[in-house]
């Protein structure tokens, strides 16, 4: 009956209404539908409706069937469409096919696209002197360019983006309105005549300004020099870009505005420039990311000259997100040794914006491209703020005048156990969307943790995770944290009704949650880690998740960090941990690994073990004062954190007594480990609460034994920790079997440990799951808070009361 209802008065013609959801905004989906319908001889319309695409098509039934198939299976490569409706409707006798204006009044199912790398077609234009956008550093089309960082509101149309202030010239307007053009309805569309421009500034004064070929040929009245005649065809005579290139070649440090914020840039082969950047940024050791020029058939030849990408790493480097990927250095590494001191891996990535392509194509050398920020804060996006806050670091600035609506730092990937694993979400990988197993009773906002903060918004059966915000230790970080929360709700047209946050009362994210006057669900830190992993693997119903990290509040009010939780979201039970130890110095322990080492040594000596007490670089008075405070329990806390055990091992084996960045000691310990290494058996016994605890005590004499090379002690430590985990898993499985072991928490960013655990569990016949698209570190906490809150909602659907 329904088929007959939709039949046209014209014999053989029927009509269908399709509703397409998923990622169909900002990826050229409407132009694709338009052109495909014309190819199939169909008439009708296509329209955006607050995140969905509505298609009305009329024609032959076979052609309509084909369109239904192609809407999902032949869509643009960056689209992720889902066919939500395919129904027969009345024909309207339409002639031709057209794209209707967006309908913002329809019920929203919004999907905000991430920022996209420069596609091959635009890259070909960028480098072709015959093209009118030759060398234009803001070239884009429906398949590439900025999205999340320029969208002010949905639906995704030019007036709702930061391109609204750049009226299209006649040539761009013709492309925008031509269905045959790949820039048909490309919202960030621009050219040198009508689009954003570069400006080179030194000493806070403009030196050169360029708006493409229109200003090519001479000075701009502000002291810039004429174009280099030998490079007149290299770019659209962009004086500002040439000045920036000259500055980098002269060993200067630049702040360059990109898609999601500023980068601090210098020549990666110039050790003096790299050391100068480190000194000015007060970043003595933390690794710096390096951007390499495209070279060779797959673009990776320049990287291969310095690094050793395996197939998984190569695939990650060339992924459309163009993330920073940790790659092993070659023995003949010839870039600055100051890029990643003490480490054998380098964070490498390829150019992803046309400006980066132009810069590197002319330099033909790798550049440092590290976040333009004050350490730990979100990347800077505003011109004046960049000049005010980065003036003591950068010698000059390369600005552009396309506003950045919200920041997005570069994503970071580390290949482990056979696939790329997220370390940090960012430009190109976020907003990250996932489906929930069951719809929520009411919308939830999850505020994440204090370090490596991200936030998540969940409603219905959807959850969206933000890009990396940063550590919430500064006013600006908290400002961006709040901006991200308000932006997500505005973009997706969702108003949260409850908030999920961490248990720790000192976290800025927890304090913010308590001030909102909404119902608050406080989720234990390691429960959130476990639920985040479970949320990525919904096929597993019964888990044993090892949540290993620094420290986080447990439900019992103590500081956890080496836990095994059994069950599933909403029903976790702590079943294993490590022998707790007492740390002196409060929060200073995270940046002073000697405190963890001293705590272990002092505890063993107190228990009667014969352990040498290292001096940790302290004077006699300092050591005595610290030991006295520890003995009396002054400014101390007790923890079971495996992350602190790694800190202790780094201090005892490598002498890393003070760290200039979080995780420095454990990273160096991993890199120092030699092949092989024997595990030391750690006693495993149940405490009074029924929790199995591994005793780290027998490790101490081994770690302190100077007669054993540091590389073997580092290796033995990793083997011991992997063996201890598997011993706990075996003991628990024997009592109550589970489907799979999960590994979550920042400790499992350690590739050596993680892969050895996976190998040992496989040998024991135990399945293991790791994080995939979400970070194992605190960047995944907000997702876990949503998963746990959803499980708690299902168990008790009544709306929680406001937090007292």
């Amino acid at each position: 009956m329904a088929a007959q209802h939709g039949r046209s008065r014209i014999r053989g013609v029927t009509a269908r209404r399709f509703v397409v959801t998923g990622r169909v905004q900002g990826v050229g989906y409407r132009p694709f539908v338009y052109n495909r319908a014309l190819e199939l001889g169909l008439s009708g319309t296509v329209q955006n409706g607050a995140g969905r695409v509505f298609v009305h098509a009329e024609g032959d039934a076979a052609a309509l069937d084909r369109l239904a198939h192609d809407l999902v299976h032949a869509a643009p490569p960056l689209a992720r469409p889902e066919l939500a409706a395919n129904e027969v409707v009345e024909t309207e006798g339409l002639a031709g096919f057209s794209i209707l204006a967006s309908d913002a009044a329809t019920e929203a199912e919004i999907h905000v696209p991430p920022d996209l790398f420069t596609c091959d077609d635009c890259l070909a234009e960028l480098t072709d002197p015959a093209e009118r956008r030759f060398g234009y550093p803001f070239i884009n089309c429906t398949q590439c360019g900025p999205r999340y960082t320029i969208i002010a509101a949905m639906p995704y149309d030019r007036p709702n983006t930061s391109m609204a202030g750049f009226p299209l010239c006649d040539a761009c307007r013709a492309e925008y309105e031509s269905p045959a053009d790949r820039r048909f309805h490309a919202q960030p569309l621009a050219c040198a005549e009508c689009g954003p421009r570069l400006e080179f500034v030194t000493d806070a004064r403009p030196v050169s300004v360029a708006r493409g070929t229109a200003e090519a040929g001479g000075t701009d009245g502000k002291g810039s020099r004429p174009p280099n005649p030998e490079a007149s065809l290299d770019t659209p005579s962009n004086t500002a870009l040439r000045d920036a290139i000259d500055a980098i070649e002269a060993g200067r440090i630049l702040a360059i505005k990109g898609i999601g914020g500023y980068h601090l840039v210098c020549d990666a082969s110039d050790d003096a420039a790299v050391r100068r950047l480190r000194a000015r940024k007060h970043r003595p050791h933390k690794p710096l990311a390096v951007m390499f020029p495209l070279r060779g058939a797959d673009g990776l030849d320049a990287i291969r000259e310095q690094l050793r990408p395996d197939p998984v790493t190569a695939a990650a480097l060339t992924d459309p997100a163009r993330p920073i990927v940790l790659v092993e250095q070659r023995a003949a590494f010839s870039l600055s040794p100051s890029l990643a001191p003490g480490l054998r891996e380098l964070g490498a990535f390829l150019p992803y914006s046309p400006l980066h392509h132009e810069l590197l194509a002319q330099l033909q050398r790798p550049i440092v491209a590290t976040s333009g920020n004050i350490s730990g804060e979100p990347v800077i996006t505003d011109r004046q703020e960049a000049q005010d806050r980065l003036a003591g670091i950068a010698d000059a600035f390369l600005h552009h005048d396309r506003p950045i609506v919200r920041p997005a730092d570069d994503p970071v990937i580390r290949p482990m156990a056979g696939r790329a694993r997220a370390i940090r979400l960012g430009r190109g990988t976020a907003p990250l969307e996932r489906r929930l197993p069951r719809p929520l009773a009411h919308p939830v906002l999850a505020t994440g943790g204090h370090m490596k903060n991200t936030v998540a918004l969940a409603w219905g059966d959807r959850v969206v995770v933000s890009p990396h915000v940063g550590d919430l230790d500064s006013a600006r970080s908290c400002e961006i944290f709040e901006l991200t929360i308000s932006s997500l709700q505005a973009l997706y047209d969702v108003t949260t009704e409850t908030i999920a946050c961490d248990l720790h009362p000192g976290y800025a994210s927890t304090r913010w949650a308590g001030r909102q006057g909404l119902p608050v669900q406080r989720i234990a830190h390691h429960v959130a880690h476990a639920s985040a992993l479970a949320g990525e693997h919904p096929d597993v119903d019964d888990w044993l998740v090892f949540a290993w990290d620094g420290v986080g509040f447990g439900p019992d009010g103590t500081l956890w960090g080496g836990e095994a939780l059994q069950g599933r979201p909403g029903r976790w039970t702590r079943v294993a941990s490590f022998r707790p130890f007492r740390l002196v110095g409060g929060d200073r322990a995270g940046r002073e690994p000697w405190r963890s080492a001293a705590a272990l040594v002092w505890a063993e000596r107190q228990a009667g073990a014969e352990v040498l007490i290292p001096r940790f670089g302290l004077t006699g008075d300092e050591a005595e004062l610290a030991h006295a405070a520890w003995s009396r329990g002054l400014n101390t806390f007790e923890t079971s954190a495996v992350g602190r055990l790694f800190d202790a091992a780094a201090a005892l084996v490598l002498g890393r007594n003070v760290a200039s960045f979080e995780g420095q000691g454990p990273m160096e310990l991993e890199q120092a480990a030699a092949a092989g290494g024997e595990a030391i058996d750690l006693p495993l016994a149940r405490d009074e609460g029924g929790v199995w605890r591994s005793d780290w005590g027998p490790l101490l004499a081994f770690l302190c034994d100077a007669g054993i090379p540091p590389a073997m002690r580092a290796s033995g430590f990793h083997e011991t920790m992997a063996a201890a985990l598997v011993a706990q898993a075996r003991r628990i499985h024997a009592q109550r079997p589970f489907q799979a072991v999960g590994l979550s928490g920042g400790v499992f960013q350690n590739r050596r440990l993680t892969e050895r655990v996976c190998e040992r569990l496989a040998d024991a016949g135990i399945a293991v799951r790791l994080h995939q698209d979400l970070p194992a570190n605190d960047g995944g906490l907000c997702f876990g808070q949503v998963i746990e809150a959803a499980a708690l909602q299902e168990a008790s659907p009544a709306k929680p009361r406001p937090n007292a």
Side-chain angles (χ1 to χ4, degrees), residues 548 578 642 645-646 649 669 673 676-683 694-700 702-703 712-728 752-753 756-757 760:
W548 288 5
F578 276 78
V642 169
L645 294 179
F646 271 83
L669 190 74
E678 295 294 326
I680 295 170
D681 288 334
L682 301 185
S694 296
D695 183 0
W696 40 260
L699 265 170
L700 271 258
F702 170 72
L703 293 176
M712 293 309 297
R713 281 184 280 162
S715 177
F717 176 78
H718 282 82
E719 289 297 318
T720 299
M721 298 307 294
L725 184 151
V726 175
Q728 290 184 357
R752 185 183 187 91
L753 173 72
R756 287 299 294 133
V757 167
R760 284 176 173 269

Side-chain angles (χ1 to χ4, degrees), residues 449-454 470-473 507 591 662 778-779 781:
H450 190 81
M451 309 291 285
K452 301 178 179 65
N453 179 266
T454 58
D471 300 342
L472 302 183
D473 288 323
Y507 283 5
R591 290 296 180 94
E662 184 196 13
D778 284 6
L781 282 177

Side-chain angles (χ1 to χ4, degrees), residues 457-684:
L457 181 65
W459 69 102
D461 66 347
R462 298 175 62 193
V463 56
V464 177
V465 181
S466 78
H468 173 81
V469 173
D471 300 342
L472 302 183
D473 288 323
S474 69
R476 183 170 186 276
S477 294
C478 291
E479 177 187 333
I480 298 302
F481 165 78
E482 294 186 24
L483 170 67
T484 303
I485 289 171
S486 61
S487 286
L488 286 179
Q489 293 183 87
L491 283 175
Y492 290 92
D493 193 24
V494 173
T495 300
T496 187
E497 296 179 18
T498 65
I499 299 176
C501 67
D502 196 272
L503 274 181
H504 199 304
Y507 283 5
S509 55
T510 301
R511 296 197 304 270
W512 181 90
R515 295 194 299 267
Q516 303 314 301
L518 292 172
V520 174
Q521 290 178 296
R522 296 178 183 270
I523 309 293
H525 192 90
H526 299 90
V527 164
H529 273 309
S531 288
L533 185 67
E536 282 205 83
H537 300 278
D539 57 307
V540 178
D541 292 322
D542 193 0
W543 287 92
L544 177 66
V545 176
F546 289 89
W548 288 5
D549 61 2
V551 295
F553 259 46
D556 60 358
T558 64
L559 292 173
W560 292 9
E563 318 313 317
L565 304 179
Q566 191 167 15
R568 61 182 182 273
R571 298 184 181 181
W572 296 110
T573 301
R574 187 194 200 193
V575 291
S577 186
F578 276 78
R579 170 186 166 191
F581 53 98
R582 194 168 71 251
L583 279 171
V584 65
D587 291 340
R588 295 171 62 186
R591 290 296 180 94
E592 299 181 13
W594 72 266
R595 294 180 181 275
S596 296
L600 302 186
V601 171
W602 292 337
E604 281 297 274
R605 286 293 292 260
Q606 192 177 64
E610 290 297 323
V611 180
L612 175 68
I613 300 183
R615 301 303 298 180
F616 304 114
L618 303 175
T619 66
D621 289 344
E622 288 174 324
E624 288 178 11
L625 286 171
H627 184 260
W630 179 88
S631 299
R632 296 170 186 167
L634 300 177
N635 192 26
T636 63
F637 61 87
E638 192 169 78
T639 182
S640 55
V642 169
R644 295 293 174 259
L645 294 179
F646 271 83
D647 283 344
L652 294 170
V653 173
L654 304 179
R656 172 53 65 193
N657 296 325
V658 177
S660 66
F661 66 93
E662 184 196 13
Q664 181 180 6
M667 288 171 64
E668 292 174 341
L669 190 74
E670 177 190 0
Q671 300 284 294
E678 295 294 326
I680 295 170
D681 288 334
L682 301 185
L684 181 63

Side-chain angles (χ1 to χ4, degrees), residues 49-73:
R52 295 182 289 179
V53 170
F54 299 91
V55 182
H56 176 90
E58 302 182 357
D60 178 74
L64 290 170
D65 288 340
R66 184 66 195 180
L67 179 63
H69 173 273
D70 290 353
L71 288 174
V72 174
H73 300 289

Side-chain angles (χ1 to χ4, degrees), residues 239-498:
T239 308
L241 184 61
R242 284 201 309 274
D243 285 345
I245 290 167
D246 289 348
I248 293 171
E249 289 180 330
R252 301 176 77 188
I253 297 166
L254 266 62
I256 298 179
K257 186 177 180 181
I259 286 180
Y262 281 81
H263 281 120
L264 289 166
V265 171
C266 69
D267 183 347
S269 62
D270 185 339
D271 189 55
V274 174
R275 285 188 283 108
R276 195 159 54 250
L277 172 59
R278 285 197 174 281
R280 292 179 183 179
K281 201 178 180 186
H282 306 292
R283 184 174 172 169
H285 305 107
K286 191 174 182 180
L288 298 169
V290 176
M291 184 180 286
F292 287 79
L294 284 175
R295 196 178 299 156
D298 61 358
L300 297 178
D301 283 2
I303 288 179
R304 290 191 180 97
E305 291 174 5
Q306 303 291 338
L307 310 173
R308 300 171 58 87
D310 60 21
V312 172
T313 305
L317 286 162
T318 55
D319 183 88
R322 291 295 192 267
I324 297 170
V325 183
L326 301 184
V327 192
E328 182 185 356
Q329 298 177 19
R330 286 191 172 276
F333 184 78
S334 62
L335 299 181
S336 165
S338 303
L339 292 170
L343 304 177
R344 295 196 304 269
E345 288 180 326
L346 185 73
F349 61 142
L350 293 173
Y352 54 84
S353 79
L355 175 56
H356 295 138
H357 282 290
E358 280 293 280
L359 193 68
L360 286 162
Q362 294 193 52
L363 280 169
Q364 279 302 304
R365 71 187 76 178
I367 57 171
V368 171
T370 191
S371 301
N373 61 359
I374 306 303
S375 285
E377 290 188 358
V379 63
I380 291 172
T381 59
D382 177 73
R383 171 200 173 105
Q384 192 57 54
E385 186 177 15
Q387 291 192 179
D388 290 344
R389 306 196 74 200
L390 302 179
I393 303 174
D395 298 308
F397 297 81
L398 185 62
H399 301 296
H400 64 71
D401 58 353
R402 182 176 66 203
I404 298 173
V405 175
R406 61 189 65 81
D409 215 333
D410 294 312
V412 181
I413 295 292
R414 190 177 196 196
M416 282 189 288
R419 66 168 293 163
R421 314 279 176 184
I423 299 295
R424 183 174 77 191
L425 296 177
R427 178 259 328 138
T429 61
L432 177 68
E433 293 201 23
R434 286 291 178 270
R435 292 285 178 180
L436 297 171
R438 285 166 294 279
L440 289 164
H442 37 80
V444 174
L445 171 72
T447 62
H450 190 81
M451 309 291 285
K452 301 178 179 65
N453 179 266
T454 58
V455 299
L457 181 65
W459 69 102
D461 66 347
R462 298 175 62 193
V463 56
V464 177
V465 181
S466 78
H468 173 81
V469 173
D471 300 342
L472 302 183
D473 288 323
S474 69
R476 183 170 186 276
S477 294
C478 291
E479 177 187 333
I480 298 302
F481 165 78
E482 294 186 24
L483 170 67
T484 303
I485 289 171
S486 61
S487 286
L488 286 179
Q489 293 183 87
L491 283 175
Y492 290 92
D493 193 24
V494 173
T495 300
T496 187
E497 296 179 18
T498 65

Side-chain angles (χ1 to χ4, degrees), residues 100-133:
L100 301 180
S102 296
D103 179 10
T106 55
E107 183 181 350
E109 181 164 334
I110 296 165
H111 298 263
V112 179
D115 301 293
L116 309 174
F117 79 115
T118 307
C119 71
D120 289 344
D121 288 336
C122 282
L123 194 56
E125 278 188 55
L126 184 71
T127 55
D128 185 351
E131 295 288 344
R132 74 183 187 93
R133 291 189 180 84

